[in-house]
Amino acid sequence: METKDVILELRNQMGLSQEALAEKVFVTRQAVSRWETGETIPNTQTLQLLSKLFDVSINTLLGSPRKLICQCCGMPLEDSFISRETDGAFNEDYCKWCYTEGKFVYNSLEELTDFLVGHMSSEDWPPEQARAYFEAQLPKLKHWRETKE
């Protein structure tokens, strides 16, 4: 879906006119019209306001142009799994299980690895194999690379 279609659909779901949406995000009705025809897209500040208003990520507003994964555990992210900052804004880098209320849940790579192995291993994916996978993949993610530095 393109940004123009996403905004139109979300506006209609909320039962808002173009003018009502414009008032809520401090733009003109013409600006909303241009978004919905695909002439322009909202600027960064307006995308943040739309994200809060519609309770969707900016990635969703932009038509999900990139596949998001949690930069702590590697889980694919959907809007319902994305973490939030203390002010309610989405943090599109992390899932809500790794980053909650502005804080990281796992204090070490070993702690997260132990948790994941305990919950993800199975008869088809033995704990040793799961551990080897996580020990190879998790250090490549942003949170763990930044923690090392």
Side-chain angles (χ1 to χ4, degrees):
M1 232 182 190
E2 292 182 50
T3 301
K4 64 181 186 170
D5 302 316
V6 173
I7 293 173
L8 175 63
E9 184 177 307
L10 292 170
R11 180 177 64 78
N12 286 332
Q13 284 176 3
M14 286 190 77
L16 297 173
S17 65
Q18 287 184 341
E19 189 169 327
L21 175 58
E23 286 177 21
K24 289 185 180 294
V25 295
F26 313 107
V27 298
T28 65
R29 184 205 56 77
Q30 291 82 358
V32 174
S33 176
R34 286 193 298 274
W35 302 336
E36 292 180 355
T37 60
E39 283 181 57
T40 63
I41 61 168
N43 66 32
T44 303
Q45 184 177 3
T46 305
L47 284 168
Q48 291 171 338
L49 293 171
L50 290 167
S51 173
K52 280 187 179 181
L53 176 68
F54 293 136
D55 197 33
V56 298
S57 68
I58 291 172
N59 194 54
T60 294
L61 287 171
L62 295 174
S64 300
R66 57 194 173 113
K67 295 289 180 199
L68 299 176
I69 65 164
C70 176
Q71 292 299 306
C72 183
C73 71
M75 182 177 82
L77 293 176
E78 298 173 14
D79 282 351
S80 61
F81 301 155
I82 295 175
S83 67
R84 293 181 185 263
E85 296 294 345
T86 53
D87 67 359
F90 281 97
N91 181 326
E92 296 184 16
D93 284 339
Y94 304 105
C95 72
K96 64 184 181 182
W97 297 285
C98 288
Y99 186 80
T100 304
E101 297 178 16
K103 295 180 184 166
F104 287 99
V105 174
Y106 300 99
N107 297 313
S108 71
L109 190 54
E110 294 77 25
E111 182 184 358
L112 175 59
T113 301
D114 289 344
F115 175 82
L116 292 173
V117 169
H119 286 81
M120 302 291 291
S121 60
S122 66
E123 209 172 281
D124 295 329
W125 200 30
E128 313 78 48
Q129 192 177 9
R131 181 169 301 281
Y133 173 81
F134 291 123
E135 287 176 349
Q137 296 303 314
L138 294 177
K140 298 176 185 175
L141 299 172
K142 175 183 171 184
H143 175 65
W144 302 113
R145 284 193 326 261
E146 289 177 355
T147 305
K148 275 185 181 177
E149 297 169 1

